[in-house]
Amino acid sequence: MSRDLLSLNLFGTPALSCTAGPVAISPGAAMVAAYLALGPAEGRNREVAATQLFADSPVGVGRRRLSTAVWRLRTEVRAVTGHDLVEAGTERLTLSPQVGLTIDSVEFEALVRPVLDTRAESLDDDAVARLERAVSLHRGLLVESCHDEWVLGDRTRLENLYLTALDYLLIHYGARGELGAVGKYGELALAIEPLREDLHRHLMAAYGAAGREDLVERQFERCRRLLVEELGADPMPETVALYARLRRGRAPSTDLTVLALVGDLEAARRDLGRLSLVIDRALDHLGHLT
């Protein structure tokens, strides 16, 4: 089999595949493959691997379980590719360079990181295509069935990148008035972080730029309800001020100084009687900052 035909997917449940279809590997073998794929290029120390992968077992049992899992992984992959996926030394375990292997999480990060040097409002077609390809690779949390320490750092890093990619796409399509894409990427982001007010504001701004006051209203109400139900809190002054601007048909402002927010909130008090209680509390909060 060619070197480039084997793929390891780590988003969601770890799985191995080739051009002919899925490569059947046992759960323990899949976890070893994920563990090595997320490790350094020089591989992992066997003793450390046994401790991290089988922390619920005594040391000797953990070593035996690791050896069995590695044997299964090598045997199951060899049956399909003719190669050993793992080089198993007495002290270290390494993914073999003799097997061409692509890893979705590695591809994801390589697609997203270069784009983040550009402002979301300035993305070109190539950058947008990279982000959309990266987002399509995200099928769930990194090794979602595992909650051990060795995966958590990578999971947090990649989830933050995923949210940033979605936010970039939301802002990009919002500036172009493509509300279908705005809704799609906004919903994906809010499914992970429903209480992130900046995401709600970006959606409100996109809807406002498209002249959809009804969607601005809906998004603000959704944000307000979530905050009240989950945190017992009102929206931040910045969120209320943006809503007030958009309801008056003004473009979102980049001026988020206390005086600018107070001005918008005072106008909102006059224009939006039904929000007076929320606005009063926002103004009170800002009063402590002046």
Side-chain angles (χ1 to χ4, degrees):
M1 176 172 288
S2 304
R3 284 170 51 86
D4 60 346
L5 298 182
L6 202 60
S7 298
L8 178 62
N9 296 328
L10 299 183
F11 286 120
T13 301
L16 200 62
S17 63
C18 64
T19 53
V23 177
I25 55 177
S26 56
M31 198 61 68
V32 169
Y35 178 76
L36 294 178
L38 294 174
E42 63 271 20
R44 304 266 201 176
N45 179 276
R46 290 189 75 120
E47 292 295 318
V48 174
T51 299
Q52 292 185 319
L53 286 170
F54 304 104
D56 58 337
S57 300
V59 174
V61 175
R63 290 173 185 160
R64 291 193 295 274
R65 291 178 67 184
L66 174 63
S67 294
T68 299
V70 169
W71 174 80
R72 282 184 175 275
L73 179 60
R74 297 180 74 189
T75 301
E76 290 161 353
V77 174
R78 190 189 304 121
V80 177
T81 68
H83 297 288
D84 286 326
L85 181 59
V86 178
E87 292 185 352
T90 57
E91 293 186 0
R92 303 195 72 79
L93 299 169
T94 312
L95 288 177
S96 173
Q98 301 304 315
V99 177
L101 180 67
T102 61
I103 303 169
D104 59 351
S105 61
V106 173
E107 182 184 356
F108 170 87
E109 191 161 5
L111 286 167
V112 173
R113 284 208 177 275
V115 178
L116 301 188
D117 293 331
T118 305
R119 289 176 55 85
E121 298 85 353
S122 305
L123 297 180
D124 59 21
D125 290 344
D126 179 66
V128 172
R130 290 174 66 92
L131 291 180
E132 291 186 322
R133 166 62 182 161
V135 166
S136 73
L137 292 172
H138 189 280
R139 304 174 185 90
L141 292 175
L142 187 73
V143 195
E144 64 184 5
S145 61
C146 180
H147 304 285
D148 294 337
E149 192 69 30
W150 61 266
V151 77
L152 296 183
D154 290 310
R155 180 182 294 166
T156 298
R157 187 185 76 256
L158 294 179
E159 285 302 289
N160 286 336
L161 282 178
Y162 177 59
L163 277 170
T164 302
L166 291 172
D167 198 27
Y168 264 52
L169 289 170
L170 191 167
I171 294 170
H172 168 77
Y173 282 115
R176 294 164 61 100
E178 297 187 27
L179 296 189
V182 168
K184 172 185 175 181
Y185 295 118
E187 288 304 314
L188 286 173
L190 289 174
I192 296 175
E193 291 286 357
L195 300 179
R196 277 268 300 267
E197 286 193 56
D198 59 328
L199 296 175
H200 288 280
R201 288 196 295 270
H202 290 164
L203 278 163
M204 289 164 56
Y207 294 145
R212 292 296 303 272
E213 186 176 307
D214 58 324
L215 296 181
V216 172
E217 173 84 19
R218 186 181 71 181
Q219 197 63 44
F220 178 77
E221 280 299 308
R222 179 182 179 186
C223 175
R224 187 187 65 80
R225 282 199 314 273
L226 281 168
L227 292 170
V228 169
E229 292 169 2
E230 298 293 330
L231 302 178
D234 291 323
M236 295 169 62
E238 293 94 324
T239 305
V240 179
L242 174 63
Y243 175 62
R245 283 177 180 268
L246 296 174
R247 283 297 302 270
R248 298 200 308 279
R250 292 172 54 190
S253 172
T254 57
D255 184 2
L256 294 179
T257 63
V258 171
L259 289 179
L261 290 172
V262 168
D264 280 331
L265 290 168
E266 290 286 6
R269 170 185 279 162
R270 293 191 298 271
D271 297 343
L272 305 170
R274 73 180 184 78
L275 288 176
S276 60
L277 183 59
V278 173
I279 294 168
D280 283 343
R281 286 199 286 257
L283 283 168
D284 182 63
H285 173 73
L286 285 172
H288 294 297
L289 300 178
T290 57

